[in-house]
Amino acid sequence: MTTAPTPVPATASAAHSGGGAPAGSVTPGITAHQATAADKAPRPGKRRGSGSRAWLAALPLLLFFLIGFGLPAVAIAIGAFTTSSDAPDGGGTFTTDNLTHSLQGAYWTALWGSVKLSLLTALIATVVGLPLAQAVATSRLRVFREAVMSASGVLANFGGVPLAFMFVATLGNSGEVTKKLGLTEHGWNLYSFSGLSVVYLYFLVPLMVITITPALEGLKVQWREAAANNGATGVQYWRHVALPVLLPSLLGGFVLLFGASFAAYATAEAMVGSSVPLISMQIGDALSGNVLVGQGNLALALGLDMIVVACLVMAVYLPLQRRSAKWLA
């Protein structure tokens, strides 16, 4: 004689929630083991607790950001609006002369020179880097993809005095390539605005490749197939589908390149010195004491000008990144 299976009683929590089976019965299709596992499932409150622990894990990074970036920024802002210690009044007095002088004469020329150099190099790097990144994204050769991305990662972080020395030794007035090709006779001058632009492109183009390649890989194959099925050519596909989708990423990459070029200092200082007016080198001269008496805090005002430009760049870059991530998700 067979015995009937013993029914599994419903839990109290299920009865109170109103969604469980009545007491003394079993929900059809659910075993006792599954019911026990459901009771042990994590509640939304536990997820909130894990989120708070994630904030605690990020606390050291936030503290580092506040100490490494927040405090210097506050010190620069305070110093830019106060007189320096070598002023006749002893320093510490509120003034706007530092900021006024930083936007006049040679300092304004240097600021505008940095903006022009950054705009030009960022635009050229964007135009050159996009087809190179497209070749990487569509290549079927894994070795080629890995080689280009690895080289781009190295070259994007290669700058400073070593980069300046490399170009001076190859394309300087006495460089090997300059002498063999006779570039000086054709008007080439490395120590000029155009020469410095070429040097900056050495690390800006790889940076653009790294930035735009993930966006190109996010373009769906179905979009190209749908365009082809509707009779669109390759040019029409890029004009009406791909480029509108990539536009936020392209603009975001352009802004990122602008910021990298605008903040560069060591390469220009080692290669051209003061022959090309740049705001970063003006700050270096001011910090070394090459200012008039009573204008020791002028370097802080120049630094504040750069911080304002950097904040404007980030204010444009972050929304563009969020929009591109939404399209290419």
Coordinates of all heavy atoms in Angstrom, one line a residue, residues 18-70:
G18 N 0.6 37.6 1.2 CA -0.6 37.5 0.4 C -0.4 36.8 -1.0 O -1.4 36.6 -1.7
G19 N 0.9 36.5 -1.3 CA 1.1 35.9 -2.6 C 1.4 34.4 -2.5 O 1.6 33.7 -3.5
G20 N 1.5 33.9 -1.3 CA 1.8 32.4 -1.1 C 0.5 31.6 -1.1 O -0.6 32.1 -1.1
A21 N 0.8 30.3 -1.0 CA -0.4 29.4 -0.9 C -0.9 29.3 0.5 O -0.2 29.7 1.5 CB 0.1 28.0 -1.3
P22 N -2.2 28.9 0.7 CA -2.7 28.8 2.0 C -2.0 27.8 2.9 O -1.3 26.9 2.4 CB -4.2 28.3 1.7 CG -4.4 28.6 0.3 CD -3.1 28.6 -0.4
A23 N -2.1 28.0 4.2 CA -1.4 27.1 5.1 C -1.8 25.7 4.9 O -3.0 25.4 4.8 CB -1.6 27.5 6.5
G24 N -0.9 24.7 5.0 CA -1.2 23.3 4.9 C -1.2 22.8 3.5 O -1.6 21.7 3.3
S25 N -0.9 23.7 2.5 CA -0.9 23.2 1.1 C 0.4 23.6 0.5 O 1.2 24.3 1.0 CB -2.1 23.9 0.3 OG -1.9 25.3 0.3
V26 N 0.6 23.0 -0.7 CA 1.9 23.2 -1.5 C 1.5 23.9 -2.8 O 0.6 23.5 -3.4 CB 2.6 21.9 -1.7 CG1 3.9 22.2 -2.5 CG2 2.9 21.2 -0.4
T27 N 2.3 25.0 -3.1 CA 2.1 25.6 -4.4 C 2.4 24.7 -5.5 O 3.5 24.0 -5.5 CB 3.0 26.9 -4.5 OG1 2.7 27.7 -3.4 CG2 2.7 27.6 -5.8
P28 N 1.5 24.5 -6.5 CA 1.8 23.5 -7.6 C 3.1 23.9 -8.3 O 3.4 25.0 -8.7 CB 0.6 23.7 -8.5 CG -0.5 24.3 -7.6 CD 0.2 25.1 -6.7
G29 N 3.9 22.8 -8.6 CA 5.1 23.0 -9.3 C 6.3 23.5 -8.5 O 7.4 23.6 -9.1
I30 N 6.2 23.7 -7.2 CA 7.3 24.1 -6.4 C 7.5 23.1 -5.3 O 6.6 22.7 -4.6 CB 6.9 25.5 -5.7 CG1 6.7 26.6 -6.8 CG2 8.0 26.0 -4.8 CD1 6.3 27.9 -6.2
T31 N 8.7 22.6 -5.2 CA 9.1 21.6 -4.3 C 9.5 22.3 -2.9 O 9.6 23.5 -2.8 CB 10.3 20.8 -4.8 OG1 11.4 21.7 -4.9 CG2 10.0 20.2 -6.1
A32 N 9.7 21.5 -1.9 CA 10.1 22.0 -0.6 C 11.4 22.6 -0.7 O 11.7 23.7 0.0 CB 10.1 20.9 0.4
H33 N 12.4 22.1 -1.5 CA 13.7 22.6 -1.6 C 13.7 24.0 -2.2 O 14.4 24.9 -1.8 CB 14.6 21.7 -2.4 CG 16.0 22.2 -2.6 ND1 16.9 22.3 -1.7 CD2 16.5 22.7 -3.8 CE1 18.0 22.8 -2.2 NE2 17.8 23.1 -3.5
Q34 N 12.8 24.1 -3.3 CA 12.7 25.4 -3.9 C 12.1 26.5 -3.0 O 12.4 27.6 -3.0 CB 11.9 25.3 -5.2 CG 12.6 24.5 -6.3 CD 11.7 24.2 -7.5 OE1 10.5 24.2 -7.4 NE2 12.3 24.0 -8.7
A35 N 11.1 26.1 -2.2 CA 10.5 27.0 -1.3 C 11.5 27.5 -0.3 O 11.5 28.7 0.1 CB 9.3 26.4 -0.6
T36 N 12.3 26.6 0.2 CA 13.3 27.0 1.2 C 14.3 27.9 0.6 O 14.8 28.9 1.2 CB 14.1 25.8 1.7 OG1 13.1 24.9 2.3 CG2 15.0 26.1 2.8
A37 N 14.8 27.7 -0.7 CA 15.7 28.6 -1.4 C 15.1 29.9 -1.6 O 15.8 31.0 -1.5 CB 16.1 27.9 -2.7
A38 N 13.8 30.0 -1.9 CA 13.2 31.3 -2.1 C 13.1 32.1 -0.8 O 13.2 33.3 -0.8 CB 11.7 31.1 -2.6
D39 N 12.9 31.4 0.3 CA 12.9 32.1 1.6 C 14.3 32.7 1.9 O 14.4 33.7 2.6 CB 12.5 31.2 2.7 CG 11.0 30.8 2.6 OD1 10.3 31.5 1.9 OD2 10.7 29.7 3.1
K40 N 15.4 32.0 1.4 CA 16.7 32.5 1.7 C 17.2 33.5 0.7 O 18.4 33.9 0.8 CB 17.7 31.3 1.8 CG 17.4 30.4 2.9 CD 18.4 29.2 3.0 CE 18.1 28.3 4.1 NZ 19.1 27.2 4.2
A41 N 16.4 33.9 -0.3 CA 16.9 34.8 -1.3 C 17.2 36.2 -0.7 O 16.5 36.6 0.3 CB 15.8 35.0 -2.4
P42 N 18.1 36.9 -1.2 CA 18.5 38.2 -0.6 C 17.4 39.2 -0.8 O 16.7 39.2 -1.8 CB 19.8 38.6 -1.4 CG 19.7 37.8 -2.7 CD 19.0 36.5 -2.3
R43 N 17.2 40.0 0.2 CA 16.1 41.0 0.2 C 16.7 42.3 -0.4 O 17.9 42.5 -0.4 CB 15.6 41.3 1.6 CG 14.9 40.1 2.2 CD 13.7 39.7 1.5 NE 12.9 38.7 2.2 CZ 13.0 37.4 1.9 NH1 13.9 37.0 1.0 NH2 12.3 36.5 2.5
P44 N 15.9 43.2 -0.9 CA 16.4 44.5 -1.4 C 17.2 45.3 -0.4 O 18.1 46.0 -0.7 CB 15.1 45.3 -1.7 CG 14.1 44.2 -2.0 CD 14.4 43.1 -1.1
G45 N 16.9 45.1 0.9 CA 17.7 45.8 1.9 C 19.1 45.4 1.9 O 20.0 46.2 2.2
K46 N 19.4 44.1 1.7 CA 20.7 43.6 1.6 C 21.5 44.2 0.5 O 22.7 44.5 0.5 CB 20.7 42.1 1.6 CG 20.2 41.4 2.8 CD 20.3 39.9 2.7 CE 19.7 39.2 4.0 NZ 19.8 37.8 3.9
R47 N 20.8 44.4 -0.7 CA 21.5 45.0 -1.8 C 21.9 46.5 -1.5 O 22.9 46.9 -1.9 CB 20.5 45.0 -3.0 CG 20.3 43.6 -3.5 CD 19.4 43.6 -4.8 NE 19.1 42.3 -5.2 CZ 18.4 42.0 -6.3 NH1 17.8 43.0 -7.0 NH2 18.2 40.8 -6.7
R48 N 21.0 47.2 -0.7 CA 21.4 48.5 -0.3 C 22.6 48.5 0.6 O 23.5 49.3 0.5 CB 20.2 49.2 0.4 CG 19.0 49.4 -0.5 CD 18.0 50.3 0.2 NE 16.7 50.2 -0.5 CZ 15.7 49.5 -0.1 NH1 15.8 48.8 1.0 NH2 14.5 49.6 -0.7
G49 N 22.7 47.5 1.4 CA 23.9 47.4 2.3 C 25.1 47.1 1.5 O 26.2 47.7 1.8
S50 N 25.1 46.3 0.5 CA 26.2 46.1 -0.4 C 26.6 47.3 -1.1 O 27.8 47.6 -1.3 CB 26.0 44.9 -1.4 OG 24.9 45.3 -2.2
G51 N 25.6 48.2 -1.5 CA 26.0 49.5 -2.1 C 26.7 50.4 -1.2 O 27.6 51.1 -1.6
S52 N 26.3 50.4 0.1 CA 27.0 51.2 1.1 C 28.4 50.8 1.3 O 29.3 51.5 1.5 CB 26.2 51.3 2.4 OG 26.1 50.0 2.9
R53 N 28.6 49.4 1.3 CA 30.0 48.9 1.4 C 30.8 49.3 0.2 O 32.0 49.4 0.3 CB 29.9 47.4 1.6 CG 29.4 47.0 3.0 CD 29.7 45.5 3.2 NE 28.9 44.6 2.3 CZ 27.7 44.2 2.5 NH1 27.1 44.5 3.6 NH2 27.1 43.4 1.6
A54 N 30.2 49.4 -1.0 CA 30.9 49.8 -2.2 C 31.4 51.2 -2.0 O 32.5 51.5 -2.4 CB 30.0 49.6 -3.4
W55 N 30.6 52.1 -1.4 CA 31.0 53.4 -1.2 C 32.2 53.5 -0.2 O 33.1 54.3 -0.4 CB 29.9 54.3 -0.6 CG 29.0 54.8 -1.7 CD1 27.8 54.4 -2.1 CD2 29.3 55.9 -2.6 NE1 27.3 55.1 -3.1 CE2 28.2 56.1 -3.4 CE3 30.4 56.8 -2.7 CZ2 28.1 57.1 -4.4 CZ3 30.3 57.8 -3.6 CH2 29.2 57.9 -4.5
L56 N 32.2 52.6 0.8 CA 33.3 52.5 1.7 C 34.5 52.1 1.0 O 35.6 52.5 1.4 CB 32.9 51.6 2.9 CG 31.8 52.1 3.8 CD1 31.5 51.0 4.9 CD2 32.2 53.4 4.5
A57 N 34.4 51.2 0.1 CA 35.6 50.7 -0.7 C 36.2 51.8 -1.5 O 37.4 51.8 -1.7 CB 35.2 49.5 -1.5
A58 N 35.3 52.7 -2.0 CA 35.8 53.8 -2.8 C 36.3 55.0 -2.0 O 36.8 56.0 -2.6 CB 34.7 54.3 -3.8
L59 N 36.1 54.9 -0.7 CA 36.5 56.0 0.1 C 38.0 56.4 0.0 O 38.3 57.6 0.0 CB 36.1 55.7 1.6 CG 36.3 56.9 2.6 CD1 35.5 58.1 2.2 CD2 36.0 56.4 4.0
P60 N 38.9 55.5 0.0 CA 40.3 55.9 -0.2 C 40.6 56.6 -1.4 O 41.4 57.6 -1.4 CB 41.1 54.5 -0.2 CG 40.2 53.6 0.6 CD 38.8 54.0 0.3
L61 N 39.9 56.2 -2.5 CA 40.1 57.0 -3.8 C 39.6 58.4 -3.7 O 40.2 59.4 -4.2 CB 39.4 56.2 -4.9 CG 39.5 56.9 -6.3 CD1 40.9 57.1 -6.7 CD2 38.7 56.1 -7.3
L62 N 38.4 58.5 -3.0 CA 37.8 59.9 -2.8 C 38.7 60.7 -2.0 O 38.9 61.9 -2.2 CB 36.4 59.8 -2.2 CG 35.4 59.0 -3.1 CD1 34.1 58.9 -2.3 CD2 35.2 59.8 -4.4
L63 N 39.3 60.2 -0.9 CA 40.2 60.9 -0.1 C 41.5 61.3 -0.8 O 42.0 62.5 -0.7 CB 40.6 60.1 1.2 CG 39.5 59.8 2.2 CD1 40.0 58.9 3.3 CD2 38.9 61.1 2.8
F64 N 42.0 60.4 -1.6 CA 43.2 60.8 -2.5 C 42.8 61.9 -3.4 O 43.7 62.8 -3.6 CB 43.6 59.5 -3.2 CG 44.7 59.8 -4.2 CD1 46.1 59.9 -3.7 CD2 44.5 60.0 -5.6 CE1 47.1 60.2 -4.6 CE2 45.5 60.3 -6.4 CZ 46.8 60.4 -6.0
F65 N 41.6 61.9 -4.0 CA 41.2 62.9 -4.9 C 41.1 64.3 -4.2 O 41.6 65.3 -4.7 CB 39.9 62.6 -5.6 CG 39.4 63.6 -6.5 CD1 39.8 63.8 -7.8 CD2 38.4 64.5 -6.0 CE1 39.3 64.7 -8.6 CE2 37.9 65.5 -6.9 CZ 38.4 65.6 -8.2
L66 N 40.5 64.3 -3.0 CA 40.4 65.5 -2.3 C 41.8 66.1 -1.8 O 42.0 67.3 -1.9 CB 39.5 65.3 -1.0 CG 38.0 65.0 -1.3 CD1 37.3 64.7 0.0 CD2 37.4 66.1 -2.0
I67 N 42.7 65.2 -1.4 CA 44.0 65.7 -1.0 C 44.9 66.0 -2.1 O 45.5 67.1 -2.1 CB 44.6 64.6 -0.1 CG1 43.8 64.3 1.2 CG2 46.1 65.0 0.3 CD1 44.3 63.2 2.0
G68 N 44.8 65.2 -3.2 CA 45.7 65.5 -4.3 C 45.3 66.5 -5.3 O 46.1 67.2 -6.0
F69 N 43.9 66.7 -5.4 CA 43.4 67.7 -6.4 C 42.6 68.8 -5.7 O 42.6 70.0 -6.1 CB 42.5 67.0 -7.4 CG 43.3 66.0 -8.2 CD1 43.4 64.7 -7.9 CD2 44.0 66.4 -9.4 CE1 44.1 63.7 -8.6 CE2 44.7 65.5 -10.2 CZ 44.8 64.2 -9.8
G70 N 41.8 68.4 -4.7 CA 40.9 69.4 -4.1 C 41.6 70.5 -3.3 O 41.4 71.7 -3.6

